[in-house]
Amino acid sequence: MKGLGIKSLFVLTLLALASPVFFAVAAPPSKVKPFPRGPLSPRDSLWLKMVSDSSLVILPEVIDTTVSYEEVYKAYMDSVQRAQRIADSLMIRQDSIIRAQQLADSLAKARQDSLERVAATIDELVQKGNDFSELYYFAKAYEYFSQAEELCSDPEFKAAIAANRKQCDYARNHIQKIPDLKVVARALFSADDFFLYYPLPDKSWRPVVGAPAVYYTGTESVIHLNRDRSLDMIYPMYDGDRMYFASKNLPGFGGYDLYYSDWDEDLGEWGEPKNMGFPYNSPYDDFLFMKTDDGQFSVFASNRGLSQDGEDVHVYVIKNSGNTTYRAVGKPKELAQIAELAPNVEDSSHEPGGDALQNQYQQAVEKEQALRARLDSVSPEERPTVQEELNAVLAEKARLEEQILNRETSSPGMGAGVPVTGVEGSFPFTKKSYGPTIKIIFDD
């Protein structure tokens, strides 16, 4: 201080006193701490949350290296944007899953609709095949069955369709040699007892416990009954060394067909069955063929041309001839006409005077049926008139029945005839009686 003068000391003192005022004026007017800049120290550690594709990643609590606030903010914004992108991606993925499920449902429904349409098409083709087959359009039916078989994928149903197709193929290949049959009678009987009207000995049909009736006169040493399900043989009848029977599991026209088999004495067994052909056989059920003892007539039954309820059958009587002619027929309408086997009155004159009387009786029956149907629909005022007509027809019918009952038939091997409703032609049908019930024991 020695070097300083009083003047210098005075100046220094003034400066010291004036210094606080200077800094107060130079200091910022606000006391808010400014935003920190520069590096961060470990004590300023942060939790940084970043989203990955599958989990939440948390950085360590203590940051080994210092980072700036700008870097932290940028990392934060990046993680937010990334999380948003992932969220958007998840939403898109969820929408994709929903659309995929909707597409799968649509495809499943479309497939089901397609299968149902195919099934309906198959059913329609099969129905058309059956319809054309029953109308004897065998070639057309074959086409429909072939189309249905090609579309079908169910093995069991496909096999059934193939069987129908083969029957049509068999039929169209076996109509090139058709015999000209002389039908003398056709009668409508109940399917339950039609066989009792056959020209066979009385009481020769025997009821069997738990099985259909069988033909057994009591003199045969062996009764042949079908027990082979693969053959499904019914109504075996014998004519010497030849057996006639019906089966639906052998090549044929459809349903039950008529076959015959000859006895082979050397082999001691029945020979290979042979189909009797058209018009004995048809797309319907044909069965119970036999020949009369005198060999003049053949008789068989069929449900062709009848309702599908199976309650009635037709019994046909064919006059046998040693000089049968054959011809080929290709037109379906002509085949259908032949298959009707309508009686030929000119060829049914084996009973003198029988045609006219039987025809009169048949006309009376038909008129009675028409009047009874009309009686149910007429007005009360018209009913007495219709009833009077019906009474007159019933009286005429009774008179004809008495004449027929009093008439003796002279046809060999036939026996007396009794008129039956629904008979066309003059063949004398007589209903026989059942014989005693028999019990059959199978020796296996």
Side-chain angles (χ1 to χ4, degrees), residues 184-202:
V184 298
R186 178 175 63 183
L188 185 66
F189 297 118
S190 169
D192 295 331
D193 60 2
F194 71 96
F195 42 80
L196 293 179
Y197 292 89
Y198 273 55
L200 292 167
D202 192 28

Side-chain angles (χ1 to χ4, degrees), residues 187-190 193-200 205 299 315 418-420 423 427-432:
L188 185 66
F189 297 118
S190 169
D193 60 2
F194 71 96
F195 42 80
L196 293 179
Y197 292 89
Y198 273 55
L200 292 167
W205 285 98
V299 185
V315 174
V418 176
V420 179
V423 175
F427 189 84
F429 289 99
T430 303
K431 187 175 182 180
K432 309 299 192 303

Side-chain angles (χ1 to χ4, degrees), residues 78-95:
D78 288 343
S79 65
V80 171
Q81 292 174 1
R82 187 180 182 191
Q84 185 62 45
R85 288 195 300 271
I86 294 173
D88 293 342
S89 177
L90 290 175
M91 289 297 295
I92 295 174
R93 183 183 178 190
Q94 182 66 23
D95 290 342

Side-chain angles (χ1 to χ4, degrees), residues 43-98:
R43 68 175 178 271
D44 296 321
S45 61
L46 300 173
W47 289 92
L48 298 180
K49 300 180 179 181
M50 300 178 66
V51 178
S52 68
D53 290 342
S54 60
S55 63
L56 198 62
V57 178
I58 302 177
L59 297 180
E61 183 178 359
V62 178
I63 302 176
D64 295 335
T65 58
T66 60
V67 294
S68 66
Y69 274 103
E70 290 83 352
E71 292 172 335
V72 172
Y73 182 74
K74 183 180 180 181
Y76 168 72
M77 290 304 296
D78 288 343
S79 65
V80 171
Q81 292 174 1
R82 187 180 182 191
Q84 185 62 45
R85 288 195 300 271
I86 294 173
D88 293 342
S89 177
L90 290 175
M91 289 297 295
I92 295 174
R93 183 183 178 190
Q94 182 66 23
D95 290 342
S96 299
I97 293 175
I98 293 174

Side-chain angles (χ1 to χ4, degrees), residues 221-426:
S221 59
V222 177
I223 299 178
H224 293 276
L225 295 178
N226 173 49
R227 301 199 71 200
D228 185 356
R229 292 185 179 180
S230 63
L231 183 62
D232 196 14
M233 183 179 71
I234 60 173
Y235 294 118
M237 300 295 288
Y238 304 92
D239 182 18
D241 289 337
R242 175 165 291 185
M243 174 176 64
Y244 297 96
F245 64 95
S247 174
K248 62 179 179 180
N249 287 342
L250 293 172
F253 292 77
Y256 279 97
D257 272 20
L258 289 167
Y259 299 85
Y260 70 88
S261 180
D262 294 324
W263 177 257
D264 191 320
E265 190 66 34
D266 296 332
L267 297 178
E269 61 183 25
W270 291 102
E272 181 181 357
K274 296 181 181 179
N275 192 290
M276 293 186 63
F278 183 85
Y280 291 105
N281 290 316
S282 69
Y284 299 85
D285 292 328
D286 308 287
F287 42 88
L288 191 48
F289 179 93
M290 61 153 290
K291 289 185 177 181
T292 56
D293 291 339
D294 56 17
Q296 293 189 26
F297 301 95
S298 295
V299 185
F300 72 97
S302 176
N303 62 1
R304 65 183 74 179
L306 299 175
S307 62
Q308 300 299 317
D309 54 21
E311 294 182 357
D312 299 316
V313 298
H314 272 137
V315 174
Y316 300 92
V317 181
I318 311 297
K319 187 175 183 179
N320 298 328
S321 175
N323 55 351
T324 303
T325 58
Y326 296 84
R327 59 193 174 108
V329 178
K331 295 181 179 180
K333 290 185 178 180
E334 188 175 356
L335 290 173
Q337 184 178 6
I338 295 173
E340 288 182 6
L341 296 178
N344 188 330
V345 177
E346 294 179 358
D347 292 329
S348 62
S349 57
H350 65 279
E351 182 182 358
D355 291 343
L357 194 59
Q358 188 69 46
N359 289 337
Q360 291 177 22
Y361 180 82
Q362 183 63 32
Q363 291 173 4
V365 170
E366 293 175 355
K367 192 171 183 179
E368 175 194 357
Q369 294 174 347
L371 287 172
R372 289 189 183 278
R374 183 182 171 192
L375 193 63
D376 295 334
S377 59
V378 297
S379 63
E381 293 78 10
E382 298 176 319
R383 185 178 293 274
T385 303
V386 177
Q387 184 63 53
E388 184 178 353
E389 292 181 21
L390 178 60
N391 293 338
V393 171
L394 293 175
E396 176 65 14
K397 179 182 172 184
R399 185 185 66 80
L400 292 171
E401 288 178 352
E402 184 177 359
Q403 288 184 9
I404 296 175
L405 287 172
N406 292 332
R407 184 192 61 197
E408 293 185 359
T409 60
S410 58
S411 179
M414 292 299 177
V418 176
V420 179
T421 301
V423 175
E424 302 172 70
S426 60

